[in-house]
Each structure stands twice: as C-alpha cells, then as structure tokens.
Amino acid sequence: MQLPEKFIEKYQRLLGDEAPAFLASFDQPSQSGFRINPLKAAPQATIDQATGKVPYVPTGYYGVVDGKSLDHVTGAIYSQEPSAMYVGEVVDPQPGERVLDLCAAPGGKTTHLVAKMHDQGLLVANEIFRKRAKALAENLERWGTTSTVVMNESPADLEKQFPHFFDRILVDAPCSGEGMFRKEPAGIEYWNPDYPAECANRQRKILASAMKMLKPGGTLVYSTCTFAPEEDEQNLAWLLQNYPDLRTVPVKKYPGMDDGRPEWADNNPALKNAVRLFPHHIQGEGHFIAKLQNGEPAPVEDVAPAKHRRNKKKRRQRPSLDKQDQAEFAAVRDVLMPDYQPTRLVTFGDQLYALPAGMPADLTGMTILRPGLHLGTFKKNRFEPALAWALAIDPATCPRVLQLSHDQWRQYVHGDVVTIDQPQKNGWYLLACDGHTTGFGKLVGTTIKNFYPKGLRF
C-alpha cells in the first residue's frame, strides 16, 4: 500500500522501533467479521462458516458474510470489523437505561448497544447526514429493535432537546480514518498532515455537546478509528482538562491490546486507561477507545427532555388515533399479536409507530426518521402491517405463522407470489424461514400476496 510520506515519517517518529511492524501491517489483508443477534434465532448457517471467535466479544466471529443471505436479510447477523466490535462492549449499556449513540451511522455499534440492552430502555441513534441516517434506520429495522429512535440532528441542536438526560453516551467520532486505510484505501486520498488536527477540532465540538446531554454520574465513551494522537489521547486530555468532574475508567485490555499513550498528549497517566488497537498487534483494524465517568450520580429525579417547536418533518404528528384508525389497527393486531398492547402510539401522516418508554409523547421539536417501532400504514379503510414489525416479532409469540422453504423465501424477497400446498384460513400471516421472521403476507386460498417492500427486493 502506498502511504503518504508524511504519514510514514510521523509514525516512525512516534513509534520508533515499532514503526516497521506497524507500517508493514498495511500490506496485510483487512480482517472481516460479524456479530450475531442474541435477540433472534441462532444463525447457524453463518456461524458454521466462521473462521473463529472474536475473543473479546461474546457474540463476535471472524469471517465474511453474504449480504443477501437469509441470516443477514432477517437481521440475525451484522457484518462488522472485529476491532470496531469492542466499542459496544466497552460502552456496556444495561437494560432500562437511556443511551445515546451520537454519531451512529451506519449502525454497527448501535445494533451492538441494542443487543447489550436486551432491547429494553431507550436508545437514541443520531446521525447528522440524512442519507446516512436513512441507512442507519434500515439497519436497525432489520435488527428488529423496538426501543430505538433514529434522529437526524446536529449535536448542537440535539443538546437543546436532551439536557443532562442520558445514562450513557457513545461518541464514535468522525475522524481521519487512518485505522481503516487497509479496509478503505480511498481514505488515503483525503489525508494530509493537517487533517487530524482539523478532525480533532470538530470532535471537540461534538464532545462538548455530548457533555451537555450526559447525566451526572453518567458514562461517556469516546472512540475513533484513527491512530492520530491529535484525535485520540490529546482529545481525551482536553476532556479531562475542561471537565473537572470527568475521570477515566480503565478499559479491560485483552491480549494484543495496548494502553493509551500519555506521552503523545500531556503525560497524564490517566490516559493509559484508554485502549489502542493496532493492526500489528491484534487481528483487526485500528481503533482508540476511552471510557469516562461524569462524577457521582446526582440524587435527583431524571430531567425530562426539553420541548421545542421546530419541526422539519412535512408529515405532522397526530396526537392520537381516531376511532377508525384504532379499529383498523386492532383488526390486524388481534389476528397477528393479540397480546401486544403498545401504550404509546403515534402517527406521522399515514404511518403508525410505537414509541419506546422514555421518549416524550410530543415529538414536534425533533427531526426524527424513526420514532420507534414502525407498525404499519393506514390505507383506505384498512391497516397494512410493516416489515419492521414483522422483524421485531418472535415467531413463537404469533398465532398465525406460515413457514416458508428456502425456495419460497427466495421467491418472497424477489417480490413474487408464493403458493402453499394446503389452504388455510385467509388473512394476514407472519412469514418465517428457519426460525427467522421474514415479513408479512396475506393469504388468499393457497396464494400468499407479497408485501415485501419493493425497494428491498432482490
């Protein structure tokens, strides 16, 4: 790999005797991996093809996954680079907590947080760029989460809506990407000697917003996929200098993981508590992870989110369902999930969502792509259930399930009509294949009418 001369000189100076091994690692192949979704049926077909377990992530494996496989399409796995997997383990969110993933796209770390939380509590996944936020929403929908809200805000705007609100915040900051050069060589073209400092300045602004949203006693995890001290130890030192209540929490080091380097910042020994993942020491790409606690928990009740009246959505939120909407939704729910009793329903235009606990019922001040679980769409005199709802259902809890063969599943995701051998009662059914929910279908005789979204068909 042709690295910039200034990059080589920089790390020869910083790493000394380690530099040759470090620089030689860029000529080695990048490492692929995937995590399994503990909230869904075991993806045995993919696990059997793994080349090994990731030692520091209980749900992590080494190996390449097929993006069009049943396991991937139904959200039973998520393709993720192994070093990046350790970020979610360090955040370690607990069920019932309020968690913010501030720079969340495309969603690898977000899905990991959801899994660690057992999909219980509130996870706000935010992404400032709308196109990337849409990809984030799609990945979370496939994962099957019911407790996640996807927002499209700048950190500066978000801080006004959630003052001192979150138990844990992850800032996986946009960075110079030096740690991903093997995986994404195009990133080399953007690198110049001043680029890490430019990124560090932007990262500090994001961190300042994060601190305004973190509860007293809350946990902040700061991570990057770069080797640059300007963006790593020096930003960690900046946090400790500017926020006296912050203290570093030691990150567990597995074999091949390195301490932070105080000598690359202000020589504060607390910087050693961070972790560096170097590709010449570990089977993965480059990463930096620091964990901090914001003083002691305050003996006060949770602060409610602030309410603002700015709304960028063209489709207005309706405060509640009218009687016709309630009846149309209940007609489908009573067939598919009779025990499902969502307590916080909200509509945007003709779309119905179930809000997670902890989110304010009034969302008019927020730019939201997914305000929780997408349940479906109100059509003329009927309700059509959404794919997201299907992917969040355990088929064991649904009284109306049709089992598809692999060939039938391929027909379904291609958008074809699927035929079954034996006629059953007409109406809506949850479709499943090898224990994985795949979507909804409407049975008429022996024909399953296909409702798989056209934009996802392949």
Side-chain angles (χ1 to χ4, degrees):
M1 177 177 288
Q2 188 64 43
L3 295 168
E5 190 63 33
K6 294 291 186 182
F7 178 89
I8 295 173
E9 293 174 0
K10 177 179 181 178
Y11 287 100
Q12 285 176 333
R13 183 179 71 255
L14 288 171
L15 290 171
D17 292 342
E18 272 193 84
F22 169 73
L23 295 171
S25 71
F26 287 90
D27 292 322
Q28 300 301 312
S30 62
Q31 180 65 60
S32 298
F34 63 91
R35 284 181 300 99
I36 63 172
N37 187 342
L39 307 175
K40 295 197 174 187
Q44 200 57 50
T46 302
I47 292 174
D48 290 344
Q49 297 175 14
T51 58
K53 283 282 283 106
V54 177
Y56 44 87
V57 182
T59 56
Y61 292 81
Y62 297 109
V64 179
V65 301
D66 179 359
K68 293 184 179 179
S69 66
L70 172 67
D71 288 343
H72 186 267
V73 171
T74 59
I77 58 172
Y78 192 101
S79 178
Q80 189 176 30
E81 187 275 314
S83 292
M85 296 181 190
Y86 196 44
V87 176
E89 292 296 317
V90 173
V91 179
D92 194 28
Q94 300 301 301
E97 290 185 332
R98 293 173 175 175
V99 180
L100 170 64
D101 190 350
L102 188 51
C103 312
K109 297 177 180 69
T110 317
T111 56
H112 198 164
L113 301 182
V114 172
K116 298 283 286 185
M117 297 168 67
H118 302 169
D119 202 23
Q120 298 171 20
L122 171 65
L123 175 57
V124 175
N126 182 72
E127 174 57 44
I128 188 173
F129 297 107
R130 191 167 185 85
K131 184 176 181 180
R132 286 172 54 81
K134 289 181 178 179
L136 167 67
E138 291 171 359
N139 285 329
L140 286 165
E141 178 178 288
R142 186 168 62 247
W143 194 251
T145 174
T146 64
S147 64
T148 305
V149 173
V150 179
M151 301 189 67
N152 177 213
E153 295 272 16
S154 70
D157 284 335
L158 204 67
E159 71 182 40
K160 302 169 187 175
Q161 298 166 355
F162 293 102
H164 307 297
F165 182 76
F166 293 102
D167 299 294
R168 297 178 197 251
I169 297 179
L170 168 60
V171 177
D172 184 47
C175 67
S176 58
E178 295 173 356
M180 293 291 121
F181 282 176
R182 292 196 309 190
K183 186 178 179 183
E184 301 171 2
I188 297 173
E189 300 175 9
Y190 299 100
W191 192 92
N192 65 69
D194 297 325
Y195 190 39
E198 294 171 6
C199 292
N201 183 58
R202 179 169 61 247
Q203 291 153 358
R204 291 179 182 185
K205 293 178 182 178
I206 296 172
L207 286 167
S209 291
M211 287 302 300
K212 293 178 181 178
M213 293 182 276
L214 187 65
K215 283 182 179 180
T219 298
L220 171 68
V221 171
Y222 174 67
S223 67
T224 74
C225 57
T226 188
F227 307 113
E230 300 94 322
E231 304 172 71
D232 295 343
E233 284 88 354
Q234 291 173 27
N235 267 350
L236 179 54
W238 176 85
L239 277 170
L240 296 174
Q241 292 164 5
N242 285 272
Y243 297 92
D245 289 337
L246 281 180
R247 63 176 180 84
T248 59
V249 176
V251 176
K252 183 177 180 179
K253 313 294 197 307
Y254 287 80
M257 295 184 181
D258 292 77
D259 291 341
R261 306 281 182 107
E263 66 273 21
W264 290 356
D266 62 354
N267 289 307
N268 183 345
L271 304 187
K272 283 189 176 183
N273 287 332
V275 63
R276 275 186 170 272
L277 282 69
F278 283 110
H280 62 300
H281 288 166
I282 201 164
Q283 196 175 350
E285 306 310 298
H287 248 77
F288 174 87
I289 312 169
K291 187 171 187 176
L292 306 102
Q293 184 173 344
N294 187 27
E296 297 298 326
V300 295
E301 294 183 358
D302 290 344
V303 180
K307 294 183 179 180
H308 298 271
R309 293 296 174 180
R310 179 176 53 82
N311 186 6
K312 299 178 184 177
K313 291 186 72 69
K314 294 181 180 179
R315 296 175 298 168
R316 294 280 177 175
Q317 173 191 352
R318 286 188 276 141
S320 61
L321 277 67
D322 59 30
K323 290 184 178 180
Q324 181 176 343
D325 288 346
Q326 292 177 17
E328 291 172 0
F329 170 65
V332 175
R333 180 204 58 200
D334 292 348
V335 169
L336 295 171
M337 293 286 291
D339 295 331
Y340 180 54
Q341 298 291 336
T343 57
R344 309 185 70 202
L345 293 175
V346 63
T347 53
F348 283 91
D350 55 4
Q351 306 300 314
L352 179 65
Y353 296 86
L355 269 66
M359 273 298 287
D362 183 1
L363 306 178
T364 53
M366 306 181 190
T367 310
I368 297 179
L369 293 188
R370 290 287 189 278
L373 176 62
H374 185 205
L375 294 174
T377 305
F378 289 104
K379 305 279 186 166
K380 186 176 181 181
N381 297 321
R382 73 184 193 281
F383 178 76
E384 186 176 297
L387 174 64
W389 190 14
L391 295 176
I393 294 175
D394 179 351
T397 66
C398 180
R400 301 189 75 177
V401 181
L402 286 177
Q403 298 291 339
L404 303 182
S405 68
H406 277 261
D407 285 340
Q408 290 173 320
W409 172 74
R410 293 186 185 97
Q411 293 175 329
Y412 176 71
V413 295
H414 190 255
D416 302 334
V417 170
V418 180
T419 302
I420 62 174
D421 295 331
Q422 298 295 327
Q424 299 189 43
K425 188 174 182 179
N426 289 345
W428 286 105
Y429 283 82
L430 179 68
L431 307 181
C433 182
D434 279 356
H436 302 311
T437 55
T438 65
F440 290 117
K442 199 167 190 178
L443 185 64
V444 179
T446 58
T447 299
I448 303 173
K449 188 176 180 181
N450 198 321
F451 286 84
Y452 197 68
K454 292 182 179 180
L456 299 179
R457 294 176 182 177
F458 61 92

